[in-house]
Amino acid sequence: MSYRVAMDIGGTFTDVVCYDERSGAVTASKAPTTPGDLAEGVFAALERVVDDPAAISFFVHGTTQGLNALLERKGARVLLLASRGGRDVYQIARGNRDRMFDLRYRKPAPLVPRQDVMEAGGRLDYRGRELTPLDEESVRAAARRARAEGFDAVAVCLLFAFADPAHEIRAGEILRAELGDDVLVVLSHEVAREWREFERTSSAVLEAYTGPVVRRYLARIERRFAERGLGVPVHVMQSSGGLVNASYAMRRPLQTLLSGPVGGTMGGVAAARLLGRDNVICVDMGGTSFDVSLVVNGRPDVSAEARIEGHPVLMPIVNLHTIGAGGGSIAYAEAGALRVGPESAGAVPGPACYGRGGTRATVTDANVVLGRVDPAWFAGGLMTLDAEAAGAAVAELAEELDLDPLLLAEGICDVANAKMAQAIRTLTVEHGVEPREFALVAFGGAGAMHAAFIARELGISEVVVPRFPGAFSAWGMLEADVRRDLTHPYFRPQGALDGTDMSGNLLTLERESLAALSGQGVPEERRRVEHAVDMRYEGQDYTLTIPLRDAAEPAEPGFLAAIGARYAEAHTSRYGHATPEAPVEFVMLRSTGFGSFPRTAAAAVDAPVEAAPDVRDVIFDGEVHRTPVLRRSGLAGELAGPAIVVEETATTVVPPGCLVTVDDNGFLLLKVNT
């Protein structure tokens, strides 16, 4: 066995990257995604890079099965079991008004209607001490209803289970004994052992809602791979940027919610390391969506909580901002103006130029009309685009808007670029981050086609196009670590802190993390654990996560002064001010176990292959430019734009006024004239 393989299943294409451990060669390919049975697209892509699945030594993939079920509201039917008197916690939610001046604002609709919430007797206090024993008969009543009415999952969220999960554990034992394996049982303390009842309930409901879909998909993939001779576990990308094997992912399916897009962020971490840069903006433009994430100080920008489609979720998650803007985004007229997206032509029927029945103009069709795509060598020659169909689709919309077709085609790209630039501002400028201090790492099938224009709009002077940009998210998965996150509630005011006790709790979490990594098959020498603590000023509601040097640090003299200064610095960075003299309090201990694998980034770069460029007319800023179309494998040294660079997984557009060079890693570096 000698191949390490990663796969990213997108809305339009399934991308695959294969690393040969013997030769160091990296190959990438793609196949159309098959929505009816995703496994078909998976194996079609795999066959392009590996002859025999039995030769695979490591396999990882990203899936958006859970996210798609949530976005399309096609998840499981969930019964929620809450503590007596707490039935309406999930329905009431929070009173925050996210869009203050939106007169039509409505809170996100709950995934579980009120009539599907039942109560269980029994109560703990805020310290986890039992006040009233669990009413086991009320749990059995919930099981009877779940079985009789055909619920797919039961979510259990009992008050103060984060302090002591004993009641939830017993409820889970009863439900699993009554319902068997046919109904997924989710316990909130297993999903998120953290305070805030509504957020913990929401997290448990999300896992129950998306879990059955994810479990069925992973079980089917494992079974199909086993039938074809794969002898190693299937690994899955987590929303945190780490990996777990499929058996764990089936137990904790919520962790895979953003599985696919996060692979690109981890690729950005690896690219930043290779480039010697601390800060990069990762942009992934595929056929359907545009995803933005950040790498700050060489690490992915990860939060301990997030909101997905308006629903709060408590778990480590890479901060991603996604909009409906991709190569398949449909352009249309509305009130006499041009609009682009979020509706996408997808893989079927796809853009008009795909020749699969699509007739509406898309961003890809606009690029074809402008000459920015090589129709004869799209996706490395796997597809031949129909330029006439693209022209007809754009011309039809141009007639509706009374515009010249070429002017409209460039307008479609400009509108899409403006939307994508705004998405980047949402994750940077709106959080006090200056995008001009970052490099832009562009990937996805269409990312490199638009990156220079997006960078110019944001004032970013450097764009990095990595190797295999169309399959970069898959490549990033090969660069990720196995990761397990553990938490322990730890409410202590500054004056009552016992550093030795805190250190002991962290050491317990560390042992659990190392044991979890061992269970994932990570060798001892490749395991490590990092610790952090959630802190806030007394009287505050929300916290900041402050890293610790190691588990023993809290027991050392001077710890309070050191961690207080660290917290003040983080508070200033986040909010622009701090109050160092104010007392702090500790809320949560966090330990993260990492298991590393050999990196693939040092793979050899192919020697340049000389080839005479094709020269064609390409439209930039309303003018025709004679532009060379070059194979990426033939590039070396420095090249001035305009130029079109084609390869197996993507097309890079170098506008006039830009310079492109190839670095030692085979990355394209574009200097953008801002």
Side-chain angles (χ1 to χ4, degrees), residues 140-154:
R140 291 190 175 90
R144 289 193 294 271
R145 181 181 172 191
R147 185 170 53 247
E149 298 185 20
F151 284 90
D152 303 300
V154 178

Side-chain angles (χ1 to χ4, degrees), residues 252-278:
R252 295 273 72 84
L254 184 65
Q255 302 288 337
T256 70
L257 202 61
L258 297 180
S259 173
V262 166
T265 308
M266 301 314 296
V269 172
R273 183 180 69 247
L274 291 171
L275 293 164
R277 290 164 173 77
D278 290 333

